[in-house]
Amino acid sequence: MKLLVIASVGGAIGAGLRFLVNQAFAARGLAVSFPWHTFAVNVIGSFLMGVVYVVINERLGGSPEWRTFLATGILGGLTTFSAFSLDVMNLMADGNGLSLRAGAYIAGSVVISIAALFAGVSITRMGLGT
């Protein structure tokens, strides 16, 4: 229960940060022709996930509280792409490079997630009669 509360607090902070980034890009007219706001949080979040990974595992002894607050909470609320990036790194480390598992995870996550979004849109529209 303690880790759930820690993740929830961090997630609220991350979601708030994402909202502020979206607003900042929109205010400058930068989210019109290309989703720069999403691109920025994905890249920044992935970079920060790398920093958090090293700090937690090499300096803080793998603290589950800090990992939950920073990685799952804040960075998960900011962007789930950072968690995807960490998963890819771990799969590559396990297979000593870009293994079949890592490649399948990358391709499957991107393609199947996008297909699932389209399926959700289509099924919901059919269900609502729109």
Side-chain angles (χ1 to χ4, degrees):
M1 187 60 140
K2 174 183 166 184
L3 292 179
L4 173 62
V5 171
I6 290 171
S8 298
V9 169
I13 293 168
L17 290 171
R18 179 162 186 142
F19 174 80
L20 292 174
V21 168
N22 290 351
Q23 293 299 307
F25 275 83
R28 289 165 182 74
L30 297 174
V32 176
S33 62
F34 187 82
W36 287 110
H37 54 296
T38 302
F39 182 79
V41 295
N42 284 338
V43 172
I44 292 166
S46 293
F47 174 81
L48 291 174
M49 185 65 85
V51 172
V52 166
Y53 176 83
V54 169
V55 170
I56 289 172
N57 290 317
E58 297 176 11
R59 297 286 187 242
L60 299 177
S63 166
E65 292 83 8
W66 280 109
R67 181 176 49 249
T68 300
F69 179 67
L70 295 171
T72 304
I74 293 177
L75 294 176
L78 179 66
T79 171
T80 56
F81 199 81
S82 58
F84 167 78
S85 299
L86 181 61
D87 289 341
V88 170
M89 185 195 76
N90 287 330
L91 285 170
M92 289 176 70
D94 292 347
N96 297 321
L98 186 58
S99 65
L100 181 60
R101 282 181 38 198
Y105 181 68
I106 293 166
S109 293
V110 172
V111 172
I112 294 170
S113 292
I114 292 169
L117 178 124
F118 277 97
V121 168
S122 295
I123 290 167
T124 303
R125 284 180 176 159
M126 283 188 292
L128 296 176
T130 60

